[in-house]
Amino acid sequence: MSPVRPVTTIFLFMLAYLFSYIDRQILALLIGPIQSDLLITDTQFAFLNGLAFSLLYAILGFPLASLSDRYPRPPIIAGGVILWSLATMACGLSHSFWSLFLCRVLVGLGEAALAPAAYSFLADSVPKEKLSGTLAIFFLGSFLGSGCAFLFGGPLLHIVQQHNFAGLHAWQICFIIVGFPGLLLGGIIAMLVHEVPHRKSIVKPVSAQKTIEFFRMHPAFFSLHMLSYTLLAVTLFSLFSWMPAQMMRIYHFSHADLGITLGSIVIICGCTGVYTSGRLIDILSARGIWYAPQLVAALAALCATAPLVISVTTSNTYLAVAAFAVAFYFASFPMPPSATILQIAVPTTMRARFSATMLFCNAIGGLSGGSLLIGTLNDHFFHSPLAIGTSMAIVSGTASFLGALLLFASIPSYKLLCSTANTKVSYTSDLPTNSMKTSRI
C-alpha cells in the first residue's frame, strides 16, 4: 500500500508534469541567444523545439507504455523524471546544433515515460466520475510549468548574463539550473509512491496484437479521436513554441517583459481553462450528456480560432496580448477530454499503450509537424522572420477549426462504441468492453 494519500500522489505527478514543461519549454524563451550563439535558422530551431524532442518521445513511448501496462508504474515514472532532468542539464553543456539536438532527444525519451503511466495510474486510483477533474489537476502542471519557464526564465537569463560561468553562455547556465530540481523530485517519487494494491492482481499482460485488434473493432472513432486531437495539439504547441518569437520580433518585448506577460497568461488562462474543462465534463456527464468530452473540446476549439488569428495578425500590442489570453484559455480545454476518453473506452491492460499512441500523434503531428511547418513557411515561403504571425495564423488557425469539425464527426462513432458494449449510452453508466472489467464510470 502506498505510504502517501492519493491526493499527495496526484500532486507529485502534477509536479513532475510541471518540471517536464519547464524543461521542454525553456528552449522557446531562449530562442534569441541560442540562434545568435549557434547561428541556427528558424527551421533548425523548429527541429530543436519539435522533432528533436518528439523523436524518441513518440517512438519509445510505445515500449515504455507497454512496460506500464505490465509492471509497476511509479518506478518507470521516477526513472523518466531523472533521465530528462539530466538531459536538460546536459543541454547546458552543448556547443553546437547537433549536440543540443541529441540532448533534446534524450529529454523527449525521459518525458515519454511520464504521461501514459500517470494517466493509467490515476485512472486506477480515483472513481471514474471524478477522472476528468483528476486529470485536469494533473494537466495543470503543463501550464504551471510553461508559465514558470516564461515567468522566471527571462529574469533568470538576465541575472545569469551579469556573470561569467567558466566560459559558458547564459542560456547554457539556464538549462543547468532548471534541470536540477527534477533530480530531487524523481528520488521523492521513487521513495514514496507505490503501485495501487489491486493492480497487482491483474491477470496477465495483453499482447500488442490484442491491442491492435481492439483498435480495429472501432477504427472510425479512434482515427477521428486521434486526428482531431493532433490538430488541436498543433494549435496549442504552436502558441507555446512561436508566440515568444512573435512578441519579441513584432512587438519588441524584452526577455523580462515577455516572461512576465506570457508567464502570467499561460499560468492564469491555461490553468483556469484546463480545470474548467475537466469540471465541465464531469458536470455535463453527470447530467446524462454522454458525449460531453467531445462537446466541450470541440466548442472550445471553435472559440479559440478567431482570437488566435487576431493575436498574431494585429499590429496593436494590447489587442494582441488580450486576444492571445482568450485563445490560450480555450486552447487548453482539449487536454482533459483527450486523455479521459481513452481511460474510459479502453480496457485497463491497454490504456497506457493507447495513451502512448495518442501522445505519438500529438508529438509527431502537433509538436513537431506544426512547429516545423511554421518555421518552414517563414524561411522558404515568406522569406522573412517578421512573417511569423502570418505563418502561425495559417497553420494554427486552420488546425483549430478542422480539429473542432472532426470532434463533432467522432460523436456518432463513440455512440456506436458504447452501444456495441450492450449498455445504454451514458458517460456515467457501466461501459464494459471485451477484456475490460465492468466499472462504474
Side-chain angles (χ1 to χ4, degrees):
M1 181 177 296
S2 174
V4 295
R5 294 184 301 170
V7 65
T8 305
T9 300
I10 295 170
F11 173 76
L12 289 174
F13 286 177
M14 185 270 286
L15 200 58
Y17 213 38
L18 184 155
F19 285 157
S20 77
Y21 265 81
I22 289 179
D23 290 356
R24 76 170 73 171
Q25 201 59 38
I26 192 69
L27 183 71
L29 185 68
L30 302 175
I31 178 175
I34 291 176
Q35 284 188 311
S36 176
D37 292 332
L38 300 185
L39 302 177
I40 62 176
T41 65
D42 279 353
T43 302
Q44 287 178 305
F45 177 77
F47 273 110
L48 288 173
N49 201 41
L51 182 63
F53 173 83
S54 63
L55 196 59
L56 291 187
Y57 180 85
I59 297 173
L60 292 187
F62 293 107
L64 289 171
S66 181
L67 291 176
S68 297
D69 282 332
R70 297 165 182 250
Y71 301 105
R73 292 161 289 192
I76 295 174
I77 293 172
V81 174
I82 293 172
L83 175 58
W84 90 58
S85 300
L86 288 172
T88 299
M89 297 176 71
C91 288
L93 304 178
S94 302
H95 291 87
S96 70
F97 168 80
W98 286 111
S99 60
L100 186 55
F101 185 94
L102 176 60
C103 291
R104 291 286 292 176
V105 167
L106 294 177
V107 171
L109 171 59
E111 294 194 18
L114 174 60
Y119 295 167
S120 178
F121 188 97
L122 294 176
D124 286 337
S125 303
V126 300
K128 299 297 181 184
E129 63 271 14
K130 296 182 179 180
L131 181 57
S132 290
T134 299
L135 288 175
I137 294 174
F138 173 71
F139 285 128
L140 289 178
S142 64
F143 299 103
L144 288 172
S146 298
C148 287
F150 290 134
L151 198 60
F152 302 114
L156 175 62
L157 179 64
H158 177 73
I159 293 172
V160 172
Q161 284 174 334
Q162 310 304 313
H163 303 84
N164 182 22
F165 294 88
L168 294 176
H169 295 292
W171 60 267
Q172 294 175 305
I173 299 300
C174 290
F175 276 119
I176 295 174
I177 292 174
V178 301
F180 179 73
L183 299 179
L184 302 179
L185 179 63
I188 292 173
I189 293 175
M191 289 187 295
L192 297 184
V193 182
H194 299 278
E195 189 57 80
V196 292
H198 67 80
R199 180 64 165 6
K200 300 175 183 177
S201 63
I202 288 180
V203 183
K204 60 181 179 179
V206 173
S207 67
Q209 182 61 35
K210 291 291 185 181
T211 304
I212 295 172
E213 287 177 6
F214 184 77
F215 182 96
R216 288 176 175 172
M217 288 175 60
H218 310 283
F221 171 71
F222 286 117
S223 297
L224 288 171
H225 178 85
M226 293 185 181
L227 180 56
S228 60
Y229 281 106
T230 297
L231 288 170
L232 299 187
V234 168
T235 301
L236 184 60
F237 287 131
S238 294
L239 293 176
F240 271 136
S241 300
W242 287 107
M243 203 62 187
Q246 164 76 359
M247 289 191 167
M248 285 189 287
R249 295 175 186 179
I250 306 302
Y251 306 118
H252 308 293
F253 276 60
S254 66
H255 277 93
D257 291 339
L258 175 68
I260 293 173
T261 302
L262 287 188
S264 299
I265 291 175
V266 169
I267 290 176
I268 296 173
C269 297
C271 289
T272 55
V274 75
Y275 185 74
T276 301
S277 173
R279 291 293 299 140
L280 190 57
I281 293 170
D282 285 342
I283 291 171
L284 293 177
S285 300
R287 296 182 179 180
I289 301 178
W290 50 270
Y291 54 92
Q294 291 96 329
L295 180 63
V296 169
L299 292 177
L302 289 177
C303 291
T305 304
L308 186 157
V309 173
I310 292 172
S311 70
V312 295
T313 55
T314 181
S315 59
N316 186 302
T317 303
Y318 296 105
L319 178 59
V321 172
F324 172 65
V326 175
F328 201 87
Y329 173 76
F330 287 111
S332 69
F333 268 56
M335 295 188 75
S338 171
T340 298
I341 283 292
L342 293 182
Q343 306 312 307
I344 288 173
V346 177
T348 303
T349 51
M350 302 179 186
R351 284 175 184 164
R353 278 171 281 188
F354 268 83
S355 296
T357 304
M358 184 76 259
L359 291 171
F360 174 88
C361 296
N362 285 349
I364 296 298
L367 175 57
S368 180
S371 181
L372 183 59
L373 183 55
I374 291 172
T376 302
L377 281 176
N378 243 28
D379 285 340
H380 303 292
F381 186 80
F382 295 114
H383 303 288
S384 171
L386 299 180
I388 186 67
T390 304
S391 299
M392 289 178 65
I394 293 172
V395 175
S396 304
T398 302
S400 183
F401 183 74
L402 290 180
L405 296 184
L406 291 179
L407 278 172
F408 282 124
S410 73
I411 293 177
S413 57
Y414 180 58
K415 181 178 181 180
L416 180 62
L417 184 153
C418 294
S419 64
T420 55
N422 289 323
T423 183
K424 66 179 182 178
V425 180
S426 173
Y427 181 77
T428 57
S429 67
D430 290 337
L431 183 60
T433 56
N434 283 353
S435 59
M436 177 182 180
K437 65 179 182 180
T438 303
S439 57
R440 292 299 298 179
I441 57 176

